[in-house]
Amino acid sequence: MRRRLPSLILALMALSSTSTAEQSSSPVKAPAYHASVPKATFSNIPYGKQQRHILDFWQAVSNKPTPLVFVIHGGGWKNGSKERLNRFVDASALLKQGISVVAINYRLIRKDTDIKPPVKAPLYDAARALQFVRSKAKEWNIDKNRIAAAGASAGACSSLWLAFHDDLADPENADPIARESTRLYCAAVNNAQTTLDPKQMKQWTPNSKYGGHAFGLQNFDEFLAERAEILPWIQEYSPYALVSPDDPPIFLSYKSAPALGKKQKDPTHTANFGVKLQERCMELGVKCELVYPGAPKVKYKTATDYLIAKLTNP
């Protein structure tokens, strides 16, 4: 046995090495939709030149142009995919009400990006995808005037950015897609970050820690320290700073009750964001419905409920 032991060990080592190599070379499992999401009418349609410039489309059955919900996934703009759709809206319920659905991917923020600030990539990708969808209005039987955005967390912030930003349409552009509007009929979002201003975040929620990566910064302390220098960027990409009286109505939903000025269990998704944006919207005459556990006078319990009500009763 002693003479055979080395060869046995070598054989076991070789087998282990082979198994490890096989495991490491195994393909990564592609994201998949939840079983509750019906099969898309069209999948992985490119709306731009980048690898993640793709979207899926579900066409509602209708003999007239349908409203559409444009879904932007969350993940801090650093991860996630369109296949998370079921976390944000009930696609089946929307389709049954004659509302078509789109779910998009977009470029994720990278540390080595040349795009300044980094958050510009996912936000302008969302705008481009929206313009692409509008360019398909006739082919896909979509009502251009009734397009709503939905999403959660970073996807919610992106949706609000689209809702409040001035129209990015370029009427003189040679590209017909770039000539399409980026304006929304409404937006319904979950757990949204409504500001990307670290000073506001700290005032609203003392243990805030989110947002520096959107501007290429490493942590919240650096974010606060660099605020004055990057304030123009903050004002350009922060939904709170962009609200104006001509903006569409919005719906905000949070998983916990607000507590302004107090530390939060989940400061990145606190309802404090919603309270302060609702105050700002009310000042400017923009309709904003806010839902959280214990919220008064709740009319719509979910983003899907709100979207169905708004898009089917124009």
Side-chain angles (χ1 to χ4, degrees), residues 57-95:
F57 171 65
W58 291 258
Q59 187 174 47
V61 177
S62 177
N63 57 9
K64 59 182 180 180
T66 71
L68 179 134
V69 173
F70 181 85
V71 183
I72 309 172
H73 72 78
W77 295 304
K78 297 189 293 185
N79 54 65
S81 71
K82 54 186 170 57
E83 286 78 14
R84 292 181 175 182
L85 174 68
N86 67 294
R87 303 184 186 185
F88 319 129
V89 295
D90 184 337
S92 292
L94 293 170
L95 291 167

Side-chain angles (χ1 to χ4, degrees), residues 155-281:
C157 188
S158 298
S159 297
L160 295 176
W161 181 81
L162 284 172
F164 299 148
H165 200 284
D166 290 343
D167 201 336
L168 292 168
D170 182 1
E172 306 301 320
N173 201 299
D175 177 6
I177 295 176
R179 298 198 292 265
E180 296 286 351
S181 175
T182 58
R183 296 294 281 166
L184 295 171
Y185 186 78
C186 64
V189 297
N190 304 325
N191 303 316
Q193 297 88 31
T194 62
T195 184
L196 293 177
D197 184 339
K199 183 178 179 180
Q200 284 183 323
M201 284 191 249
K202 195 76 173 176
Q203 290 172 342
W204 301 351
T205 309
N207 61 328
S208 292
K209 57 184 180 181
Y210 182 84
H213 68 291
F215 303 99
L217 303 173
Q218 299 302 311
N219 53 58
F220 198 81
D221 288 339
E222 185 180 2
F223 194 14
L224 272 172
E226 298 291 331
R227 176 184 180 272
E229 185 176 343
I230 64 170
L231 190 57
W233 280 350
I234 292 170
Q235 293 172 336
E236 167 63 17
Y237 296 102
S238 181
Y240 184 96
L242 295 173
V243 189
S244 58
D246 62 340
D247 288 333
I250 62 170
F251 171 92
L252 306 171
S253 176
Y254 291 88
K255 58 189 176 182
S256 60
L260 286 170
K262 297 181 179 180
K263 291 184 177 181
Q264 300 285 283
K265 184 177 180 180
D266 182 5
T268 301
H269 303 106
T270 172
N272 291 348
F273 280 120
V275 170
K276 297 306 290 185
L277 181 60
Q278 186 182 52
E279 287 179 2
R280 181 61 176 157
C281 285

Side-chain angles (χ1 to χ4, degrees), residues 126-143:
R128 174 70 180 187
L130 177 57
Q131 291 175 306
F132 174 84
V133 169
R134 274 204 166 95
S135 76
K136 290 287 188 179
K138 186 174 181 180
E139 181 182 343
W140 290 356
N141 196 35
I142 295 167
D143 182 348

Side-chain angles (χ1 to χ4, degrees), residues 146 185-186 249 287 289 299-300 305-314:
R146 285 189 294 158
Y185 186 78
C186 64
K287 292 182 179 180
E289 301 194 32
K299 188 174 182 181
Y300 306 106
D305 294 339
Y306 177 88
L307 291 165
I308 289 172
K310 291 297 181 182
L311 292 173
T312 59
N313 297 286

